[in-house]
Amino acid sequence: MQSLRIIAGFTRNIMQWGALLVFVSAAIALALSTLLAALGILPWLELPLSYGGAPVADAGLYLQVGLTVLALGLCFFLPTNLRVLRLENSHRSFQIGMQDVARAYAEVHAADRRSTFQLSSEFDAVRERLAYLRDHPDLSTLEPQVLELAAQMSHISRELATVYADEKIDRARSFLKERQAEVELFNDRLEQAKAISNEMKHWLHGVELEESVAAAQLERLRQEMFEIMPEMGTERTVPVAPEFAEAAERKKGEKLPETDRTTDIDNTVVDMPKAAE
């Protein structure tokens, strides 16, 4: 039944607007044709009409002028009809629409979240919200029932508006923005630390590689030197056995013979150069 009522109302609106359009078009056409006929550009309407058995002269002219005057006179009633149609469309036969209630409630709840209303008692709080809705420029065309229902709903949800007040929401958003900025700064520093760590790791690897190459070159140089030292007439210093070293230590305090005073006993044998050939 609700759908049938909606379809019937929609069809009625279309027919009303269509009738208005046809009537305005007919009035404009009659006025133009009468004006052109009076100027001699178009002929007058011809109509064979008799009254009391006698023909009426210029009956078409009188009929055309009368219809034109009637159409122009009815045009003055069109603004009233248009206002009635606009009123019906805006108020929808004075029935409460949930969309209007939701829109009014959204406005008054947003005002409540901004701490606009200060009265605490139920009657005063509802009256304050109702006055706010009545003074709102976008809600002035709504029915009083809609505004009253939205005001009552806003009073019921006042605790929710207090919890989610705009000031608290802004403070929470600011806090989250600061936390997000700190996290982004920490991530940037972490990326820098990772880059430095990777750089130091590659650097250490390069240094160790260079040290290993240098050690290998030094060992090779030693081997080459050991190979060419006999040819140069030199030999390596050979460590003395432990028992000979102890004997040398005991004899350090003793008086050496005359022939051996020029040399001291040591725990190593010094390489002697070979005689030149």
Side-chain angles (χ1 to χ4, degrees), residues 46-60 62-63:
E46 295 181 0
L47 182 65
L49 184 64
S50 60
Y51 182 76
V56 179
D58 298 330
Y62 298 142
L63 181 61

Side-chain angles (χ1 to χ4, degrees), residues 44-45 47 49 56-69:
W44 289 100
L45 182 64
L47 182 65
L49 184 64
V56 179
D58 298 330
L61 186 148
Y62 298 142
L63 181 61
Q64 184 175 351
V65 173
L67 291 176
T68 302
V69 172

Side-chain angles (χ1 to χ4, degrees), residues 250-261 263 265:
R250 288 193 302 267
K251 292 181 179 182
K252 279 184 179 180
E254 298 179 1
K255 186 176 180 180
L256 298 176
E258 189 68 23
T259 57
D260 296 331
R261 288 179 183 180
T263 60
I265 298 175

Side-chain angles (χ1 to χ4, degrees), residues 85-155:
L85 291 177
R86 191 180 300 111
L87 185 63
E88 289 180 354
N89 292 330
S90 60
H91 290 269
R92 288 182 296 276
S93 300
F94 300 100
Q95 293 179 358
I96 297 177
M98 294 307 298
Q99 294 181 354
D100 294 336
V101 175
R103 185 159 60 95
Y105 171 73
E107 292 291 341
V108 71
H109 185 67
D112 199 3
R113 289 176 57 184
R114 294 192 297 268
S115 301
T116 304
F117 311 114
Q118 302 297 330
L119 299 179
S120 58
S121 63
E122 181 177 358
F123 177 77
D124 294 335
V126 174
R127 186 180 61 180
E128 186 181 13
R129 288 167 171 80
L130 186 59
Y132 173 82
L133 291 174
R134 288 175 179 174
D135 296 336
H136 198 279
D138 297 335
L139 306 175
S140 59
T141 59
L142 296 180
E143 295 82 359
Q145 295 87 347
V146 173
L147 301 181
E148 184 178 358
L149 182 59
Q152 293 176 357
M153 292 173 61
S154 176
H155 176 71

Side-chain angles (χ1 to χ4, degrees), residues 15-231:
M15 295 300 293
Q16 288 177 349
W17 286 102
L20 288 175
L21 182 61
V22 171
F23 184 77
V24 171
S25 301
I28 294 174
L30 286 172
L32 289 177
S33 62
T34 302
L35 180 61
L36 294 177
L39 295 176
I41 298 175
L42 292 178
W44 289 100
L45 182 64
E46 295 181 0
L47 182 65
L49 184 64
S50 60
Y51 182 76
V56 179
D58 298 330
L61 186 148
Y62 298 142
L63 181 61
Q64 184 175 351
V65 173
L67 291 176
T68 302
V69 172
L70 179 61
L72 293 177
L74 291 177
C75 287
F76 291 98
F77 293 95
L78 291 180
T80 303
N81 196 5
L82 290 175
R83 284 195 297 270
V84 172
L85 291 177
R86 191 180 300 111
L87 185 63
E88 289 180 354
N89 292 330
S90 60
H91 290 269
R92 288 182 296 276
S93 300
F94 300 100
Q95 293 179 358
I96 297 177
M98 294 307 298
Q99 294 181 354
D100 294 336
V101 175
R103 185 159 60 95
Y105 171 73
E107 292 291 341
V108 71
H109 185 67
D112 199 3
R113 289 176 57 184
R114 294 192 297 268
S115 301
T116 304
F117 311 114
Q118 302 297 330
L119 299 179
S120 58
S121 63
E122 181 177 358
F123 177 77
D124 294 335
V126 174
R127 186 180 61 180
E128 186 181 13
R129 288 167 171 80
L130 186 59
Y132 173 82
L133 291 174
R134 288 175 179 174
D135 296 336
H136 198 279
D138 297 335
L139 306 175
S140 59
T141 59
L142 296 180
E143 295 82 359
Q145 295 87 347
V146 173
L147 301 181
E148 184 178 358
L149 182 59
Q152 293 176 357
M153 292 173 61
S154 176
H155 176 71
I156 293 173
S157 61
R158 65 187 184 279
E159 295 182 359
L160 184 64
T162 303
V163 173
Y164 295 98
D166 291 345
E167 183 180 358
K168 296 180 180 179
I169 295 298
D170 294 338
R171 187 164 60 249
R173 288 177 178 174
S174 300
F175 176 73
L176 291 177
K177 288 180 180 179
E178 293 177 357
R179 290 290 302 274
Q180 186 176 6
E182 292 178 358
V183 171
E184 291 178 355
L185 180 60
F186 177 77
N187 290 332
D188 293 338
R189 292 179 177 177
L190 186 61
E191 292 295 332
Q192 293 178 0
K194 289 181 180 179
I196 295 174
S197 177
N198 293 331
E199 181 182 0
M200 296 296 291
K201 189 180 297 183
H202 289 299
W203 194 358
L204 177 61
H205 179 71
V207 170
E208 291 179 351
L209 183 61
E210 292 177 358
E211 288 181 350
S212 62
V213 172
Q217 292 178 355
L218 179 61
E219 185 65 23
R220 183 176 180 182
L221 181 60
R222 286 178 179 177
Q223 294 294 333
E224 292 178 354
M225 291 298 296
F226 290 156
E227 291 177 358
I228 64 175
M229 282 176 67
E231 298 179 359

